[in-house]
Amino acid sequence: MSESDKTNILFIFTDQHRLSGVGCYGPTPCRTPNIDRLAAEGVRFETAYTTCPVCSPARASVMTGCDTHGHGVMANTHEVGCRIHELTDGPDLLPRRLESAGYRNGYTGKWHLGGCRSDKFLNRPITTSLPKDVGFEGQNFPNHGDGGYMFEEYQNYLKERGLPYKKLLNEMKGTPGRGRYNILDTPVEGTVAYFLAEHTIAMIDRFREGKEPFFIWHNFWGPHEPYYVPQKYYDMYRDVEILEWPNFRWDKCDPNLPYQAKLHPYHDRIGWEEWAETIRHYYAFATLIDEQVGRIMDHLRKTGLLEKTLVVFSSDHGETLGSHGGMTDKGFNHFEEIQRIPFIARVPQSMGGNLPAAGTVMQEWVSLADVYPTFCDVAGASLDRPDAPAICRVHGRSLLPLLKGEKVEDWRDEIFVQFHGVNALAINMITCRAGDLKYGWNATNKDELYDLAKDPYETTNLIDDPAYAGKLEEMHKRMYNYMERVGYEARGRFKRDVLRIMEN
């Protein structure tokens, strides 16, 4: 296949986007008509999971195709628990693989895979890793960025266009730990989300002038907090009733399990309406982002590139927003709110095959690690790592056969999610989901087991229920087999402590 015949790839990625913030994933007051249109024209995966419900590890899985332990970005970069703080360049990174297949790579927005100029633990200079260091053109923002508002490139964008930028509320509106929100005195053109969409639209125009196919990874800062939006977006939700999460009044919370680390310290004092107000601002931010997704998609249509471009929409992980008795942020639990992610693909006719009907919903288990082999497969790039040990082989699997309507008999029947810490706290946790059962291994702590058929909101831990002893044993076997398959380093500890098998 000549380079001119290859499919372009646009990967639109949001930050901390729970499923209730995407309209097509079920009943919700959140309005996302453009993302919903993407699903209506393409394929929506119902059971897609992050590799890790933390920003940096999830993004490193996209770049490497590895589960968290394999790429080494095991927590947010430059935090306790992370062993690779600056993503090292090399031929196996996604942009380098696509580059070798003739692609031009572009980057927009949040990075969070490096960029610190010094090691904050040892106070010594280090070699930074930014998008332009690993094969991308485009924006080059370091670290997390906290919404992108303070970067010079954005500030210059505002000045050049004469756009005002002022927050109308007191900065820390809302209880700390429950999400900063504010109303911006600026038109939509003055928001970071609009600024990022402008960059990607300009990059599309620049790339389409050349002969090479392109891969663009567009990263929004949001709807991760801070939730800053112009008034009109908040007004969409000002008077909307936000129903309580079914597990908000959770009376079976175990004070000794890891999820206590994310239970709000004032959870017993914060009423639902306070959470509901935070959620209104979160949904307003999601709607602002959705509008920018629509602008990018409209530009592909206008330029005639839509039917030459595979568009994938997803997120790094979800968000709690008061679920399970008042939890905040992400991490330290095995719950659906933070592990499941939106995953939608619009497949162009140019890719050929017996494409699924528009609006198809697929039930196959999908991992964020599948992005890497899928994009390599689309590009015709090699996946070979012949000398790699199990720990750093490609752990994901290409979705291309599913996207082209092929019947895949041996698709996975389980999914795994790792977690190793966040916010300067470290731990070792792995989730296994198979069918309606979810098993959570908490190293050095009591494990968890949930039956989502009977308990979809995961409120009852069945780990000590004798009626589930046989099913638990099966989940133990699945977990150990996974650890063996991917070279998980703590598998000996699991074998000893959980399976009760001592090595000779």
Side-chain angles (χ1 to χ4, degrees), residues 75-115:
N76 279 338
T77 54
H78 298 277
E79 283 192 0
V80 173
C82 186
R83 63 187 180 197
I84 301 294
H85 296 290
E86 301 282 331
L87 187 68
T88 307
D89 190 17
D92 290 335
L93 291 187
L94 179 60
R96 296 304 187 192
R97 287 290 193 190
L98 299 185
E99 184 180 63
S100 71
Y103 276 68
R104 193 172 175 184
N105 301 306
Y107 201 89
T108 294
K110 179 177 175 176
W111 177 236
H112 210 180
L113 287 171

Side-chain angles (χ1 to χ4, degrees), residues 54 75-76 79-80 262 329-332 419-426:
V54 181
N76 279 338
E79 283 192 0
V80 173
K262 285 296 180 175
D329 200 32
K330 72 271 185 177
F332 292 98
F419 176 74
H420 300 281
V422 71
N423 306 131
L425 298 175

Side-chain angles (χ1 to χ4, degrees), residues 209-269:
E209 293 176 357
K211 296 181 180 180
E212 309 101 320
F214 63 75
F215 164 56
I216 295 176
W217 188 2
H218 177 100
N219 291 266
F220 286 107
W221 271 288
H224 188 297
E225 63 96 26
Y227 318 133
Y228 295 163
V229 298
Q231 186 73 49
K232 74 171 187 175
Y233 295 94
Y234 172 71
D235 286 347
M236 295 179 187
Y237 298 96
R238 177 194 295 274
D239 300 319
V240 172
E241 180 184 11
I242 306 295
L243 299 179
E244 273 191 20
W245 307 131
N247 53 23
F248 176 67
R249 299 179 188 277
W250 189 29
D251 59 1
K252 296 179 182 178
C253 181
D254 188 328
N256 298 309
L257 284 177
Y259 49 62
Q260 289 293 326
K262 285 296 180 175
L263 197 61
H264 197 286
Y266 306 137
H267 66 94
D268 54 346
R269 304 181 214 170

Side-chain angles (χ1 to χ4, degrees), residues 294-447:
R295 290 181 59 232
I296 295 170
M297 294 299 295
D298 286 346
H299 193 70
L300 287 177
R301 290 186 180 91
K302 184 177 72 174
T303 56
L305 289 174
L306 186 59
E307 292 308 327
K308 300 176 182 177
T309 305
L310 170 66
V311 181
V312 176
F313 172 86
S314 192
S315 187
D316 52 0
H317 53 78
E319 158 74 80
T320 49
L321 280 176
S323 61
H324 279 93
M327 289 192 183
T328 65
D329 200 32
K330 72 271 185 177
F332 292 98
N333 69 66
H334 299 278
F335 300 139
E336 297 282 276
E337 292 96 340
I338 65 169
Q339 293 186 340
R340 275 183 68 196
I341 54 175
F343 201 102
I344 299 165
R346 188 189 188 282
V347 186
Q349 293 294 326
S350 61
M351 282 178 57
N354 183 26
L355 301 184
T360 293
V361 178
M362 292 191 175
Q363 301 295 333
E364 282 82 358
W365 300 105
V366 168
S367 167
L368 199 55
D370 297 337
V371 169
Y372 177 101
T374 300
F375 291 173
C376 286
D377 204 0
V378 171
S382 171
L383 278 177
D384 290 342
R385 295 179 186 172
D387 301 321
I391 189 173
C392 53
R393 292 178 192 149
V394 174
H395 300 139
R397 183 171 178 180
S398 175
L399 300 170
L400 187 58
L402 297 176
L403 296 178
K404 295 182 75 170
E406 299 173 15
K407 190 171 184 180
V408 182
E409 299 287 355
D410 62 342
W411 195 257
R412 62 169 72 97
D413 64 351
E414 58 192 9
I415 204 80
F416 295 88
V417 179
Q418 297 183 21
F419 176 74
H420 300 281
V422 71
N423 306 131
L425 298 175
I427 198 170
N428 197 333
M429 301 169 64
I430 307 181
T431 306
C432 173
R433 172 91 193 263
D436 291 318
L437 287 181
K438 180 184 283 188
Y439 167 61
W441 177 53
N442 300 321
T444 73
N445 207 319
K446 185 177 182 178
D447 292 346

Side-chain angles (χ1 to χ4, degrees), residues 122-157:
L122 301 178
N123 193 28
R124 63 184 181 188
I126 58 175
T127 301
T128 60
S129 177
L130 292 170
K132 290 182 180 179
D133 298 319
V134 298
F136 287 109
E137 303 175 43
Q139 291 177 330
N140 214 37
F141 300 121
N143 305 320
H144 179 279
D146 195 31
Y149 298 91
M150 301 310 296
F151 285 123
E152 185 178 4
E153 185 178 333
Y154 171 63
Q155 294 295 326
N156 289 340
Y157 165 87

